[in-house]
């Protein structure tokens, strides 16, 4: 079993981190302090989180343990087929890649949003 963790923050988790959610804060700390922990912030979700809670994008993007994912061509094509950009970019980021053969876990405070989606979910609701 691998000790590597890949976690994608959705817009609700990002906004919750800005409000001091202890579980989101622990994820951010672990991604910064422990090797093998990777925390991703898809740019479309980052924009939506900043709309919900202004200042969130700048704050998260400045954290050394958070990797901001650009909207590259494959992500843009995935977003174009979905209802919301934030959820679509998170879903795309959680899919398996050569660097993440098992994909990533989506951290959220709205787990019902992901019902029926083929992603693993980490509920950050306190």
């Amino acid at each position: 079993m691998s000790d590597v963790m890949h976690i994608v923050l959705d817009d609700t988790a990002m906004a919750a981190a800005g409000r001091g959610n202890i579980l989101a804060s622990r994820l951010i700390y672990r991604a910064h302090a422990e090797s093998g922990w990777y925390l991703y912030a898809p740019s479309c979700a980052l924009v939506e989180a900043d709309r919900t809670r202004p200042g969130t994008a700048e704050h998260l993007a400045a954290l050394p343990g958070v990797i901001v994912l650009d909207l590259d061509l494959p992500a843009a094509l995935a977003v174009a087929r979905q209802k919301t950009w934030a959820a679509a970019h998170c879903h795309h980021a959680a899919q398996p890649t050569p660097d993440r053969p098992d994909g990533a876990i989506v951290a959220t405070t709205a787990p019902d949003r992901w019902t029926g989606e083929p992603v693993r979910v980490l509920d950050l609701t306190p």
Side-chain angles (χ1 to χ4, degrees), residues 27-86:
L27 286 177
I28 292 166
Y29 171 77
R30 289 191 101 168
H32 173 69
E34 295 185 32
S35 68
W37 278 73
Y38 300 94
L39 195 58
Y40 305 97
S43 56
C44 291
L46 197 57
V47 168
E48 193 59 37
D50 201 70
R51 287 179 178 163
T52 301
R53 187 172 191 286
T56 299
E58 281 184 64
H59 177 72
L60 283 173
L63 296 172
V66 177
I67 302 162
V68 176
L69 299 176
D70 293 331
L71 185 64
D72 59 6
L73 180 58
L77 294 174
V79 165
R81 291 189 281 272
Q82 298 293 328
K83 202 192 271 191
T84 69
W85 288 37

Side-chain angles (χ1 to χ4, degrees), residues 91-104 118-120:
H91 181 271
H92 174 76
Q95 298 309 301
T97 67
D99 293 340
R100 298 183 305 272
D102 294 327
V119 296
R120 295 174 290 160

Side-chain angles (χ1 to χ4, degrees), residues 103-122:
I105 299 166
V106 176
T108 184
T109 61
D112 292 342
R113 168 193 285 182
W114 298 101
T115 300
E117 294 292 331
V119 296
R120 295 174 290 160
V121 173
L122 175 62

